[in-house]
Amino acid sequence: ARAQIGVTGLAVMGSNIARNLARHGHTVALHNRTTAKTDALLEKHGDEGDFVRTESMEEFVAALEKPRRVLIMVKAGDATDAVISELADLMEDGDVIIDGGNSLYTDTIRREKEMSERNLNFVGAGISGGEVGALEGPSIMPGGPAEAYESLGPLLESISAHVDGEPCCTHIGPDGSGHFVKMVHNGIEYADMQLIGEAYDLLRRALGLDVEQIADVFRDWNSGDLESYLVEITAEVLSQKDAETGKPLVDVIVDAAGQKGTGRWTVKSALDLGVPVTGIGEAVFARALSSELDQRSAATDLKPGVIGEQPADTDAFVSDVRAALYASKVIAYAQGFDQIRAGSEEYGWDLHPGAMATIWRGGCIIRAQFLNRIRDAYDENPDLKSLLLAPYFRDAVEEGVESWRRVVTTAAGLGIPVPAFASSLSYYDGLRSERLPAALTQGLRDYFGAHTYQRVDKEGTFHTLWSEDRSEVEA
Ligand code: NBP
């Protein structure tokens, strides 16, 4: 037994993580259900480090130093359960099983409980960065027993991305917290991409810029507050020409956005927790709408009823769109961090939002300059009521709010859909409103269902006798 860690599941993610571990000087035992993948990896990259080839699960487990550490990188769901069960039967007290797949956090909570009952350490680790990140340094979000992290941490930190010398990996909290945080990360990624899409659409349809000009705008935006991986690669994708037709690639791609499900999970969880993640929700629904190709093609002749005109000053509108993008992005992150706080309270995880911002600065898909600001905000005030209320973000959004309104108004006038820009602005207006029509909602609920209400001027719970003399009684 000489391997410090084993990786089972050697599709694209597992192979690249295994190579990353080996490149960092760790001896890595390799296992895959079908040995062909193991051999393919060894043939192509076997010279990159110290690998131990194994075929059976028994051989794999026997190749590991104790306490054993196994990273599972198989398809989330039943496959992960099957592999965990097989491994657990072969492992001994104190060994560590790490699930690096995109597992649903409630599955991770269940698995951690099952494994701890068998004296095994179970670590549910969210890993972001796609295949390149897995190889060159991902952002890693491990949840599970703190004792397990003591020995595992240095190993994971060694292969994670680093920003300013700090690893993009930290112990998140107990059981499912790592996968929960990874899920919210993916939800924020959906919102970020939707906002970028809306900005692009406005520059194209409201201003009439061509795709190459829009690529230049994004290239220009990729500095300062908006500097981020997603804005950077937006310029790349928009600049790409289709070899066959010579058109911009974006014009030959079918406009139906796919989803693997983590955005939907985020919204479902937010509904259960009662957290308004409107930015993420709009992003998930916008992808769903885009995929309704039949319905869309049947509806293209609906009357547009346009009442606006193309903005007269191109530069001014581009700058407005930039401000709207930034403000909406602040909202999406504020909502995502609210969900992390709510999840932390619900499950008793004691999560530290500033730590999430720190490990998302590199390696992952939402990596951005912006996250330094979020980290600073939570450093300054760990109990922030909303990210939006941190002085830096408050100033930035207040400075851009008129631009934001102009953009949403223009889009509505011209009939260009901006669900995430518009709902983020509504969220902002809702949050800052002194009175909301929820008072009327309460009145209606009391009328038809005797659901009671509270009064602004005295303590207690009240009900109006709607079907009698309409006098008020204390409930
Ligand atoms: P896949 O999600 O495509 O899974 C393929 C792997 O699962 C293969 O090694 C396959 O073995 C194994 N497997 C399956 Br399928 N069923 C199995 C079973 N019943 N028993 C044992 N092994 C089984 O691979 P991936 O795209 O590399 O992703 C791995 C994990 O990482 C997933 O959970 C994914 O959600 C997550 N993730 C992916 C990305 C990404 O960018 N792709 C990013 C972040 C996280 P076989 O070779 O024998 O069929």
Side-chain angles (χ1 to χ4, degrees):
R2 59 187 189 86
Q4 279 133 22
I5 187 162
V7 179
T8 181
L10 299 174
V12 55
M13 289 295 287
S15 299
N16 282 359
I17 294 263
R19 290 169 63 196
N20 184 348
L21 283 160
R23 288 176 179 189
H24 281 87
H26 308 295
T27 302
V28 187
L30 300 176
H31 177 267
N32 194 66
R33 176 176 61 175
T34 42
T35 317
K37 277 206 181 75
T38 315
D39 288 332
L41 169 58
L42 283 169
E43 194 183 322
K44 264 198 182 158
H45 306 287
D47 58 351
E48 288 178 12
D50 199 3
F51 296 107
V52 182
R53 176 186 182 280
T54 73
E55 286 188 11
S56 68
M57 204 51 119
E58 288 78 7
E59 204 188 337
F60 177 59
V61 169
L64 299 167
E65 280 175 3
K66 293 182 193 176
R68 301 178 183 88
R69 303 187 197 101
V70 170
L71 175 61
I72 302 176
M73 292 302 299
V74 305
K75 210 177 168 73
D78 294 344
T80 302
D81 275 315
V83 174
I84 291 171
S85 146
E86 211 182 329
L87 270 172
D89 289 343
L90 297 167
M91 290 180 120
E92 292 173 311
D93 287 8
D95 287 352
V96 187
I97 297 177
I98 308 135
D99 171 19
N102 262 339
S103 293
L104 181 59
Y105 72 97
T106 46
D107 284 342
T108 306
I109 294 176
R110 167 179 59 78
R111 291 168 183 153
E112 198 278 330
K113 189 162 175 288
E114 287 166 5
M115 292 303 116
S116 74
E117 282 163 5
R118 300 176 68 164
N119 296 323
L120 296 173
N121 287 306
F122 188 79
V123 173
I127 300 181
S128 174
E131 49 182 297
V132 176
L135 183 63
E136 291 175 358
S139 174
I140 311 180
M141 295 150 251
E147 314 84 78
Y149 193 79
E150 267 171 43
S151 73
L152 187 64
L155 202 111
L156 295 181
E157 288 174 15
S158 73
I159 63 158
S160 75
H162 284 72
V163 175
D164 303 333
E166 281 178 89
C168 294
C169 171
T170 191
H171 182 232
I172 303 294
D175 55 71
S177 59
H179 277 135
F180 179 85
V181 163
K182 168 63 164 49
M183 175 190 76
V184 176
H185 160 284
N186 283 29
I188 292 176
E189 179 184 311
Y190 272 60
D192 252 342
M193 288 169 65
Q194 175 63 23
L195 294 169
I196 286 173
E198 290 179 16
Y200 151 79
D201 209 25
L202 281 163
L203 299 181
R204 194 153 184 189
R205 291 213 262 167
L207 281 181
L209 299 188
D210 66 30
V211 177
E212 195 44 58
Q213 287 171 314
I214 301 172
D216 286 339
V217 170
F218 275 94
R219 219 163 271 129
D220 179 50
W221 283 354
N222 190 33
S223 60
D225 282 341
L226 280 179
E227 186 182 334
S228 62
Y229 174 66
L230 283 170
V231 167
E232 179 191 330
I233 66 171
T234 298
E236 300 275 322
V237 172
L238 291 176
S239 299
Q240 184 74 14
K241 292 277 185 294
D242 174 43
E244 226 168 278
T245 59
K247 291 181 183 168
L249 178 68
V250 74
D251 284 349
V252 299
I253 297 179
V254 174
D255 58 346
Q259 36 186 330
K260 279 194 171 170
T262 46
R264 193 160 53 225
W265 288 351
T266 313
V267 177
K268 282 186 181 172
S269 148
L271 290 172
D272 287 338
L273 292 166
V275 183
V277 292
T278 59
I280 301 170
E282 293 296 352
V284 172
F285 287 133
R287 288 197 194 186
L289 186 149
S290 76
S291 301
E292 290 294 341
L293 293 174
D294 279 353
Q295 213 178 31
R296 285 174 56 200
S297 69
T300 48
D301 62 350
L302 286 175
K303 178 181 169 181
V306 163
I307 54 162
E309 276 167 27
Q310 178 174 331
D313 184 337
T314 299
D315 289 346
F317 193 69
V318 168
S319 143
D320 279 349
V321 174
R322 185 192 195 286
L325 174 58
Y326 188 68
S328 305
K329 185 176 159 109
V330 171
I331 299 294
Y333 279 70
Q335 295 174 339
F337 277 88
D338 282 350
Q339 185 170 358
I340 289 177
R341 191 183 49 205
S344 178
E345 279 166 17
E346 172 76 16
Y347 295 101
W349 283 330
D350 192 24
L351 303 181
H352 298 280
M356 309 308 134
T358 304
I359 63 168
W360 290 347
R361 292 181 306 157
C364 64
I365 307 297
I366 64 171
R367 61 183 181 263
Q369 268 305 321
F370 181 76
L371 287 154
N372 281 308
R373 302 295 184 185
I374 298 183
R375 175 165 104 140
D376 294 347
Y378 282 107
D379 273 353
E380 227 164 84
N381 179 5
D383 300 319
L384 257 185
K385 284 202 165 49
S386 163
L387 196 56
L388 188 53
L389 299 174
Y392 177 83
F393 291 111
R394 184 195 180 110
D395 288 352
V397 170
E398 285 179 344
E399 204 183 293
V401 66
E402 283 145 25
S403 296
W404 200 5
R405 290 194 196 290
R406 272 195 296 272
V407 167
V408 172
T409 310
T410 303
L414 290 172
I416 300 168
V418 285
F421 277 6
S423 86
S424 304
L425 180 57
S426 276
Y427 174 88
Y428 175 79
D429 286 330
L431 203 60
R432 58 169 202 84
S433 289
E434 246 167 71
R435 292 279 294 163
L436 288 171
L440 174 58
T441 307
Q442 285 296 82
L444 294 170
R445 293 178 69 242
D446 190 59
Y447 186 101
F448 66 68
H451 293 302
T452 73
Y453 51 84
Q454 283 164 327
R455 296 182 54 102
V456 296
D457 52 2
K458 57 182 171 188
E459 294 281 306
T461 302
F462 301 91
H463 168 57
T464 291
L465 299 170
W466 295 102
S467 55
E468 295 171 36
D469 64 355
R470 301 203 167 186
S471 62
E472 185 177 76
V473 294
E474 196 146 0

